[in-house]
Amino acid sequence: MIILASGSPRRQELLKKLCNDFKIEVCNAAEIENAATPAEVAIKNATIKAETVAQKFLGDIVIGADTIVVLNGKIFGKPHGEKGAFEMLKTLSGKKHEVITGLAICKDGKTFTTSEVTEVYFGEMTDEEIKTYVATGEPLDKSGSYALQGGAAKFIEKINGDWANVVGLPLHRLRILAKSVGINF
C-alpha cells in the first residue's frame, strides 16, 4: 500500500494523477527550520514526515513532501496570521523567488530523497490587492502565503519549471524517484 504522509488536499489531488490506490496519514512531527541549504530543509522535513509515518506502517511505501518558498536564501513558510501573510506577499511582490519541494520515499526500511526547484515571478502588487487577497483566507495556510492554483494566479507573471511543484507535489520528480527504487505508478 502507498501512504501519503500529508493532509494537504492539493497533494492528494496531485497524487491521484499518478495512482488512485493510496491512503492518507497526516504527520504532525516537529519540522526543522535550518540546514546548510533551503533544499536540505525541505528534504529533511519530507524525510521526517515519511519516516515518522513509516514507523507505523511497516512494509508499506510512504511518501513525504515538504514545500518551501525561498527569496534571497530566506525561507518563507506558512504565515503567522493575516499580518504575516500581507508582509510575505509584499516582500515577494515584483520579484522572482524559488519554490522548493523536498520528497522522501520510505520503502523496505530505506529512505530515498530528492528535491525540485521552480522559479516563480510575481508581478507588482498594490497594498490594496494584497489586502483583498489575504482577506479571502486562502494565503493563511500556504507556504509563501499564496496558491498558484487559486487567487494568486493573477499575480504570477510566469514560472520556470514544474507547476505541480508550486502546488506542492512535483509529479515528474516523484515519478522518477519512485521508478529509481522500483515503484511504477
Side-chain angles (χ1 to χ4, degrees), residues 1-66:
M1 173 59 72
I2 294 174
I3 299 171
L4 178 62
S6 174
S8 165
R10 295 160 301 280
R11 284 196 182 114
Q12 293 169 29
E13 281 300 311
L14 286 168
L15 187 56
K16 285 179 187 174
K17 295 179 185 314
L18 292 180
C19 68
N20 285 318
D21 191 19
F22 65 91
K23 292 192 306 188
I24 303 299
E25 183 69 23
V26 178
C27 178
N28 294 316
E31 297 182 5
I32 67 160
E33 295 181 8
N34 295 304
T37 67
E40 285 183 36
V41 170
I43 290 169
K44 286 183 179 187
N45 284 329
T47 300
I48 289 167
K49 293 172 187 178
E51 289 179 347
T52 300
V53 170
Q55 291 173 7
K56 297 182 204 174
F57 297 94
L58 300 176
D60 288 324
I61 296 166
V62 179
I63 300 168
D66 187 66

Side-chain angles (χ1 to χ4, degrees), residues 76-98:
F76 290 71
K78 293 179 182 176
H80 298 290
E82 289 186 5
K83 183 178 181 194
F86 177 86
E87 291 303 321
M88 275 190 206
L89 290 167
K90 180 93 170 148
T91 302
L92 295 173
S93 176
K95 296 181 183 85
K96 174 188 84 168
H97 63 273
E98 295 177 328

Side-chain angles (χ1 to χ4, degrees), residues 46-48 50-51 54 103-113 181:
T47 300
I48 289 167
E51 289 179 347
L103 293 171
I105 296 177
C106 293
K107 178 186 177 205
D108 300 329
K110 295 179 183 164
T111 303
F112 307 90
T113 63
V181 299

